Amino acid sequence: MALKKPPTAPRRAPRAQSARTAHAVPSDTDKLPFDIEEVLRRVRHEVRSFADAAMFELAAKGHGSLFEQLIACILSIRTLDEVSLPASLRLLGRAHTPEALARLTPEEIDSLIRPVTFHEGKAHQVHAIAVRTRDAFHGQLPADADVLQSFKGVGPKCAHLALGIACGHEVISVDIHVHRVTNRWGYVKASTPERTLAALEAVLPRPYWVELNRLLVPFGKHVCTGSRPKCSTCPVLPYCRQEGVTSHR
C-alpha cells in the first residue's frame, strides 16, 4: 500500500518591503570612484535653474564691495536667503558705505533688517562695523581675513565668502549646506563646519574654492536637503556615498 504524501504547507505571500528597505542605501561597491570635477560639473548643471546664493546675487545687483558683502553675510546668519537678500538690499539701498551706514542709528538699521533672525543684535553689530571701518580704516576695509574676523559676529564663513566674492581671494566658505553635502558625499569626513573647512582645504582643487559655496547652497536647499534628500533623481548619486542617509526621496 502506497504511503500518502504529507500535505504541502501553503506558501506564504512574500512580505512587503518596508519603506526603509525599499529605499536602502547602496553599498560603496555600487559606487563609482569619487571624481570631484565630474561631481561639480553635474551639480553646476543641476542648479542652473535655481536662484543664485544670496551673496552672489547681491554682488550681481551692484553690491559687490568687501564692506557690503561682509554686512550682508552677517544678516544671512541663521536666516533664509529669501529673507536676508531683501533685507540686505533695503539696508544697502539706504546706506552702502561705512560713512553712510555709521550715520544711521542702530534703531534705524534694525527697522530696515527686522525680518532677519536676531535683527536687534545684528543691527548693533552692523553699526559697530561701520563706525570702526570709518574711523580705524579710513572707510576702506582691509582685504584680510584676520581683520574681518576681529569684528564681533564675523567668523571664517563670512570672512571667506566676502573675500572670495568681493576680492577674488581663493578661499573656501563653509556654511551648513557645504558642510552637510560634502560629508554626505564622503568627500570629507568632519564633525563641524570648521573641521570641514580644514578638510576641504587639504583635498579640494583651488579653482573650486570660491565656486563651491555658490554651487552647494542651492544644491543643498533644493536637492541634497537636510532631511529626505532627493537621492532618486540626484545626478551625483553614482558617486555619492550617502553617508548618514537613512531615508530619501
Side-chain angles (χ1 to χ4, degrees):
M1 183 175 178
L3 295 176
K4 292 183 179 180
K5 292 183 179 180
T8 303
R11 294 183 65 186
R12 292 184 179 181
R15 182 179 297 176
Q17 285 185 309
S18 68
R20 185 165 181 170
T21 303
H23 295 283
V25 175
S27 66
D28 281 356
T29 58
D30 300 320
K31 301 293 187 176
L32 296 173
F34 197 89
D35 182 341
I36 189 62
E37 292 187 3
E38 175 61 19
V39 165
L40 293 182
R41 185 192 69 78
R42 293 182 178 212
V43 171
R44 197 178 295 115
H45 185 266
E46 182 71 12
V47 303
R48 68 195 187 284
S49 62
F50 299 138
D52 209 350
M55 302 277 290
F56 293 90
E57 186 170 346
L58 188 71
K61 292 181 180 294
H63 298 288
S65 72
L66 181 57
F67 177 75
E68 291 172 299
Q69 287 288 309
L70 187 66
I71 295 303
C73 194
I74 291 172
L75 301 189
S76 75
I77 296 172
R78 303 278 183 94
T79 304
L80 295 174
D81 282 0
E82 295 81 0
V83 175
S84 68
L85 180 59
S88 296
L89 289 170
R90 277 195 305 275
L91 178 63
L92 298 174
R94 173 82 176 272
H96 69 279
T97 65
E99 295 81 0
L101 198 48
R103 287 196 293 269
L104 299 180
T105 66
E107 291 72 26
E108 289 174 315
I109 295 172
D110 186 42
S111 69
L112 292 166
I113 66 169
R114 192 169 296 275
V116 306
T117 307
F118 309 127
H119 54 87
E120 187 174 357
K122 289 178 180 179
H124 286 274
Q125 291 173 13
V126 164
H127 186 260
I129 290 173
V131 170
R132 184 179 165 201
T133 302
R134 180 195 64 190
D135 297 344
F137 301 112
H138 309 290
Q140 187 69 38
L141 270 180
D144 184 299
D146 290 335
V147 171
L148 299 187
Q149 290 179 73
S150 70
F151 290 108
K152 182 179 178 181
V154 177
K157 170 202 157 185
C158 280
H160 287 188
L161 192 55
L163 286 168
I165 297 173
C167 306
H169 286 200
E170 288 185 337
V171 284
I172 301 172
S173 177
V174 177
D175 67 352
I176 189 60
H177 300 293
V178 174
H179 171 62
R180 179 180 68 246
V181 173
T182 55
N183 279 273
R184 185 175 281 168
W185 285 346
Y187 186 54
V188 296
K189 187 174 183 180
S191 57
T192 66
E194 292 75 21
R195 291 177 178 176
T196 292
L197 171 60
L200 286 171
E201 286 177 337
V203 298
L204 183 67
R206 294 185 75 91
Y208 303 121
W209 279 23
V210 176
E211 187 187 23
L212 189 71
N213 186 277
R214 185 173 203 161
L215 294 176
L216 295 194
V217 168
F219 186 73
K221 286 173 62 177
H222 300 286
V223 180
C224 196
T225 52
S227 60
R228 300 190 69 239
K230 298 177 180 178
C231 297
S232 63
T233 57
C234 177
V236 180
L237 184 61
Y239 300 90
C240 178
R241 270 51 186 174
Q242 295 171 281
E243 295 287 346
V245 175
T246 57
S247 177
H248 63 77
R249 292 172 279 176

